[in-house]
Amino acid sequence: MSMFRLMGASLLAVTVGAGAAMAETSKMRIALSNNYAGNSWRQAMLKSWDKITKKAVADGIVAEAPAFTTAENQVTEQAAQIQNLILQGYNAIVVNAASPTALNGVVKQACDAGIVVVSFDGIVNEPCAYRIAVDFKKMGSIQVDYMAGRLPKGGNLLEIRGLAGVFVDDAISGGIHEGVAKNPQFKIVSSVHGDWAQDVAQKAVAGVLPSLPQIAGVVTQGGDGYGAARAFAAAGRPTPLITLGNRYDELQWWKEQKTANGYETMSVSIAPGVSTLAFWVAQMILDGKQVPKDLTVPFLQINQDTLEKSLATTEKGSVANVEYTLDDAKAVAAGK
Amino acid sequence: MLTAVTSPKFLRAALPGASFAILLAAIFYVQPRAMSYFGLNLMLQYAVPIALATIAQMFIITVNDLDLSIGAFVGLTATIGATLVASTPLLGALALLAAIAAYGALGALVHWRNLPSIVVTLGMSFVWLGVAVLILPTPGGSAPGWVKAIMGLKTPWVPFPVVAALVIGIVVHVFLMMSSYGAVLRGAGGNPRAVSRAGWSLLKIKVIMYSAAGFFGVLSGLSLIGLTSAADAHIADRYTLYAIAGVILGGGEFVGGRVSPFGAVVGALTLTLTGSFLIFLKISPDWQIGAQGAVLIVVLALRALIKRREV
């Protein structure tokens, strides 16, 4: 009897050991649950997912990794979608969520069914899920830090905000104001809402420009820098230092200015390819690797010397993108 | 015997159930894993709040009105449930009662000023949404434990959503289809003038029906947060159309007080299953809405065929 038990125990130990040693994800399936596909950023996000996962499937890293998008950006619809993915027996579900809280119920169900849930961009706050969040505050403050490096004497800043009432707008703006508090040589003389769109930003900036003193710099949220530049040009005022947000027309404008008069600035945003980072994180977890529950998305920053390269790979009307690799995911998981 | 089975009346009553059964069979065929307690529970869970919202809509449709605000109203009750009901139950209960009373008052307004219900409820949908955003500006809150416990109930043998759907169907059926006052209520949709001549107050009927809709809207909101565990002002935006489609799928008519509580519940379940079926088939999301519409049109076309024979 005891002999049998001993054998059983050692057999168990062997299988467990073998499982850990050759942890295999080639038969595993990862699904993407996406809540919205109606803008260029999301389109690029889905394209990146498709590209990287197709290759991963061909390479035998995972068995399948389809993407599912809900048609109307509704919480209830996405919850039902995730329930169906649970039923289909996916090993991991990568989520860009319609709501940070209202999917908690179904995310918990997925976890209870032994499914790994990785949320990114639109994260979920259910503790059992992994989160790859964007540090929007930092996205604001690094712009002011860059300004401080470029304009040591400081000056007046014009802030272009996003869509009023959206938390992303509050977070980026909060970061900008924190940065200004840290660098008191700067003063925000006006804030306008550009709604992350060039035309709206141009109109808004043109509206306030006549009443503004000399502007040293314009801090933006992305999608609005080119519009601001056009408003300054139309008003016949000198072009200030405008930080940009990786959109094609912004980079194109920067390139023109750089060629014409050596204009220098920086551009920062989140690459839509962050979906592929989430894919690799999910794969790592399935592979038995230890990953912290809360991760931060790396920024995609474009500098004076990387401008041409980034512009060349950015599609017209889209936003600069990178696809991440397993090594990138490992670095993010290690907190680098 | 055969004539009884092929009679238009029988076919009409059987259509919602038959569509549901066919869809369920197709799902089991495509995804055998769904054919289990766990699978049915998972697939039909979100049908419970939709079924409740559909019943709410049905009350309004019974008196020849249409409610374009039920989705926003469910969103409002969900936010109240995840904030006030959870933190100060007494205040929460009062707020929910006030919401039901407001619905009743809407019924009175529609009748008193003879306003088109579509316009009144469309306007109110923005009011409900606005109040919901005021109560819960950013998604969050937490559902009261007892609501989560009810929605997470593990009933023996039959999954909870099925039990819940049956209970909802039976309760409303007894009230609306079997009680004598229920016949009067439906009569107000069939022939309001006759009902009024017979001495019944149409105002009272509208207030009762709208209040009943408000009551089921509250139940829908609470059951929804029981599933999601948190709320969002926009959580139920789609329910307005789901609820109308559910009533019609379930054999109801827009006018004439011709409705079926069981049909409405089955209609809500069918709509929920359609979504699952399309995901299981891996139909591209761009086509899903259209495919859902196609299912609706097929069922309605079948009904039109039956109706032609009825005349």
Side-chain angles (χ1 to χ4, degrees):
Chain A
M1 186 65 196
S2 67
M3 186 65 189
F4 270 115
R5 200 176 289 165
L6 202 66
M7 268 175 69
S10 61
L11 200 66
L12 193 72
V14 167
T15 38
V16 168
M22 39 180 274
E24 262 278 308
T25 58
S26 65
K27 289 199 173 54
M28 294 199 174
R29 297 150 70 225
I30 301 176
L32 170 64
S33 163
N34 174 38
N35 67 314
Y36 180 64
N39 61 28
S40 60
W41 197 93
R42 289 296 179 106
Q43 289 293 339
M45 181 195 99
L46 289 172
K47 234 184 244 169
S48 291
W49 172 274
D50 195 51
K51 187 170 146 197
I52 294 298
T53 56
K54 260 206 186 109
K55 184 158 184 310
V57 170
D59 293 347
I61 296 169
V62 292
E64 198 191 358
F68 299 89
T69 301
T70 53
E72 284 192 73
N73 192 15
Q74 292 284 314
V75 171
T76 44
E77 211 188 344
Q78 193 172 19
Q81 181 198 55
I82 294 176
Q83 288 186 319
N84 291 319
L85 296 178
I86 298 173
L87 264 186
Q88 290 182 57
Y90 284 96
N91 302 87
I93 301 176
V94 175
V95 188
N96 195 343
S99 160
T101 54
L103 290 171
N104 284 354
V106 66
V107 168
K108 187 77 184 30
Q109 284 176 331
C111 294
D112 291 346
I115 296 167
V116 171
V117 179
V118 178
S119 64
F120 72 100
D121 186 31
I123 53 165
V124 295
N125 57 18
E126 164 61 46
C128 76
Y130 292 80
R131 278 160 292 280
I132 309 178
V134 179
D135 190 349
F136 287 109
K137 255 195 162 150
K138 200 171 163 207
M139 208 157 127
S141 66
I142 56 174
Q143 293 184 50
V144 182
D145 290 344
Y146 174 79
M147 294 259 171
R150 285 285 309 284
L151 309 166
K153 287 206 302 284
N156 294 325
L157 296 183
L158 168 63
E159 183 197 12
I160 304 180
R161 299 188 54 160
L163 203 57
V166 178
F167 98 97
V168 173
D169 169 53
D170 282 336
I172 299 181
S173 178
I176 288 173
H177 284 260
E178 260 173 35
V180 170
K182 226 171 39 186
N183 298 288
Q185 70 272 35
F186 289 108
K187 184 171 168 240
I188 295 179
V189 290
S190 180
S191 291
V192 294
H193 281 280
D195 297 1
W196 301 310
Q198 308 294 2
D199 52 336
V200 182
Q202 185 178 348
K203 252 184 271 171
V205 173
V208 293
L209 257 190
S211 67
L212 295 182
Q214 174 86 25
I215 298 290
V218 179
V219 278
T220 68
Q221 298 200 352
D224 41 15
Y226 177 55
R230 296 221 332 199
F232 274 91
R237 293 177 64 141
T239 310
L241 174 55
I242 305 174
T243 48
L244 305 170
N246 292 3
R247 303 315 193 272
Y248 175 84
D249 44 11
E250 292 177 340
L251 299 179
Q252 179 68 32
W253 171 81
W254 180 6
K255 172 90 191 309
E256 280 163 16
Q257 298 298 310
K258 187 180 169 185
T259 322
N261 53 34
Y263 187 79
E264 246 183 84
T265 184
M266 63 87 96
S267 179
V268 65
S269 190
I270 301 298
V274 62
S275 58
T276 62
L277 185 70
F279 169 76
W280 289 116
V281 167
Q283 193 269 338
M284 272 169 71
I285 300 165
L286 289 179
D287 200 18
K289 304 274 194 317
Q290 282 299 318
V291 176
K293 287 263 155 119
D294 287 283
L295 303 169
T296 309
V297 177
F299 293 119
L300 176 59
Q301 184 168 340
I302 301 172
N303 295 317
Q304 201 70 5
D305 49 335
T306 52
L307 169 61
E308 282 77 11
K309 205 174 129 236
S310 299
L311 185 59
T313 55
T314 305
E315 272 177 59
K316 206 170 176 175
S318 187
V319 48
N321 195 6
V322 281
E323 271 107 25
Y324 293 92
T325 62
L326 179 57
D327 289 331
D328 293 330
K330 280 179 184 159
V332 168
K336 278 177 215 154
Chain B
M1 181 64 201
L2 191 70
T3 47
V5 173
T6 54
S7 81
K9 202 173 168 204
F10 177 83
L11 282 179
R12 191 189 159 90
L15 193 58
S19 347
F20 178 72
I22 291 170
L23 201 55
L24 198 61
I27 284 179
F28 286 163
Y29 177 74
V30 179
Q31 182 55 259
R33 230 189 291 244
M35 202 178 356
S36 63
Y37 182 94
F38 176 73
L40 281 174
N41 194 29
L42 217 49
M43 269 194 313
L44 294 177
Q45 240 179 3
Y46 275 86
V48 175
I50 295 178
L52 289 164
T54 306
I55 292 290
Q57 183 69 262
M58 191 196 72
F59 282 121
I60 308 282
I61 288 181
T62 307
V63 287
N64 296 352
D65 283 347
L66 200 60
D67 184 359
L68 294 186
S69 69
I70 191 68
F73 183 74
V74 171
L76 169 65
T77 59
T79 54
I80 294 175
T83 53
L84 290 178
V85 177
S87 55
T88 45
L90 189 67
L91 200 62
L94 281 177
L96 291 177
L97 282 177
I100 296 174
Y103 240 73
L106 273 188
L109 179 72
V110 165
H111 177 75
W112 180 47
R113 302 302 307 166
N114 200 16
L115 295 169
S117 60
I118 293 185
V119 176
V120 174
T121 54
L122 182 64
M124 283 312 286
S125 72
F126 299 107
V127 175
W128 303 136
L129 183 65
V131 177
V133 170
L134 282 180
I135 293 175
L136 196 68
T138 52
S142 71
W146 57 272
V147 177
K148 278 194 271 192
I150 292 175
M151 293 311 289
L153 221 54
K154 294 260 183 298
T155 42
W157 304 109
V158 186
F160 174 72
V162 179
V163 177
L166 276 176
V167 170
I168 297 165
I170 290 171
V171 167
V172 181
H173 188 83
V174 168
F175 167 67
L176 195 63
M177 310 303 277
M178 290 168 76
S179 76
S180 53
Y181 194 62
V184 175
L185 292 175
R186 279 180 290 131
N191 192 341
R193 187 168 289 181
V195 169
S196 152
R197 288 240 176 91
W200 300 96
S201 159
L202 281 180
L203 177 70
K204 194 176 152 201
I205 289 174
K206 286 245 169 158
V207 170
I208 287 176
M209 290 308 248
Y210 273 76
S211 303
F215 175 67
F216 276 88
V218 166
L219 292 185
S220 174
L222 290 181
S223 62
L224 186 53
I225 56 167
L227 294 173
T228 61
S229 81
D232 186 326
H234 288 281
I235 197 166
D237 285 358
R238 276 195 94 181
Y239 277 23
T240 304
L241 291 179
Y242 271 155
I244 298 173
V247 173
I248 304 306
L249 258 184
E253 299 273 349
F254 279 120
V255 286
R258 198 168 180 182
V259 293
S260 153
F262 276 115
V265 171
V266 172
L269 296 184
T270 309
L271 273 177
T272 315
L273 281 189
T274 320
S276 300
F277 182 59
L278 296 173
I279 292 177
F280 287 147
L281 283 184
K282 295 192 180 162
I283 290 182
S284 139
D286 301 330
W287 292 92
Q288 274 184 20
I289 293 263
Q292 229 159 5
V295 172
L296 261 173
I297 290 172
V298 167
V299 174
L300 292 185
L302 281 175
R303 210 168 82 195
L305 272 180
I306 296 171
K307 209 170 166 186
R308 271 234 300 265
R309 287 182 45 200
E310 237 174 349
V311 181

